[in-house]
Amino acid sequence: MNRPRHVIAHRGASGYLPEHTLASKSLAHGMGADFIEQDVVLSRDHVPLVLHDIYLDTVTDVRSQFPERARADGRYYALDFSWAEIQQLHVHERVHVGTDEAVYPGRFPPTTLTFRIPSLSQEIELIQGLNRSTGRNVGLYPEIKAPAWHRQQAVDISRIVIDVLQQYGYQSADDNIFVQCFDAQETQRLRYEFKSRLKLVQLIGNNSWKEAPTDFTHLRTPSGIAEVAKYAQAVGPHLSHVISGIDERGGPRVTPFVSLAHDQGMQVTAYTVRADDLPVYVTSLNQLMEFLIRDADVDGVFSDFPDRSRHCLQALRGQG
Ligand code: CA
């Protein structure tokens, strides 16, 4: 527990307020998060938006405000709406498309309060402003979403995101930011084609999710991890890639992934710690944090509950 471990507020303090709203980001900053995450997609007029999905219908009232604007698949794409239109949408807790039932029923209730989708610029200004007024230095953790899909739609999201980050002063390896992407080709493109010097995170998924045209099974092997280390400073695996379950004594079964990444000089930040959606092998968020930090030795966690994850880190540090 000697080296620093980080809490990345996953979509803000999303366990408490609707994900990716400026309210949830302010709360995360106040709760002591080390980094605050931004998932980024584009509007029709190519404004980078902080939104998890390429769709608007999982977290906004787009269907009632713009009923005619779905594509043939019935979904409402952020890329089909102008920034002016997107600013009219009301953000709510994530729901299942079709049933409109809350994905996490214990979280922030339906309300008449107005929450909006922020642009990436607005969110950076919020975090930089809070850094100044609090004297803290909370970092950014932007993720470029679905770059291959955006390219199919004739737009280069990475170029636009990198330009906005540069406008706000993020351009060197020393800047307090990590840029993440699932698509390994795109992460390499940031490094080699754009010659970005920002710290990069290669996210690791499962091939079955079809998150990116990347062979994640290969990226989890020793040779795959060594390839990633050539262009990325960190890897972001799913919890199941670092802990596969528990052994007969109730301790975690730790996979070789974290030590392989550490051997290659990379940090490991695992996703996602959720008090209301724990892996079956633990009974509390505290136990999951202990397994991840003390046993699996990860460098950071993406958490929907940044205050509770931060508190666990402090308690573990106290134990030496
Ligand atoms: Ca993300």
Side-chain angles (χ1 to χ4, degrees), residues 10 37 39 52 143 145 180:
H10 182 248
E37 191 202 25
D39 291 305
H52 181 266
E143 179 188 344
K145 300 299 284 192
Q180 339 159 50

Side-chain angles (χ1 to χ4, degrees), residues 8-83:
I8 303 147
H10 182 248
R11 311 181 199 170
S14 58
Y16 303 104
L17 280 162
E19 65 182 52
H20 283 320
T21 58
L22 293 183
S24 80
K25 304 306 170 81
S26 302
L27 187 60
H29 197 288
M31 284 176 161
D34 300 292
F35 292 89
I36 297 177
E37 191 202 25
Q38 301 78 35
D39 291 305
V40 185
V41 304
L42 295 181
S43 70
R44 187 175 64 202
D45 39 358
H46 299 174
V47 174
L49 312 170
V50 183
L51 183 70
H52 181 266
D53 305 334
I54 57 174
Y55 313 111
L56 293 162
D57 40 23
T58 42
V59 292
T60 77
D61 62 346
V62 65
R63 204 179 307 118
S64 60
Q65 287 204 46
F66 298 95
E68 309 301 317
R69 299 276 294 278
R71 291 195 185 184
D73 61 2
R75 304 304 302 270
Y76 295 79
Y77 289 72
L79 194 57
D80 295 340
F81 291 79
S82 68
W83 170 231

Side-chain angles (χ1 to χ4, degrees), residues 5 37 46 51 72 105 121 165 197-198 211 255 312 317:
R5 316 294 177 114
E37 191 202 25
H46 299 174
L51 183 70
S121 299
L165 294 177
R197 293 161 59 218
L198 299 175
E211 180 72 40
T255 74
C312 289
R317 195 172 292 128

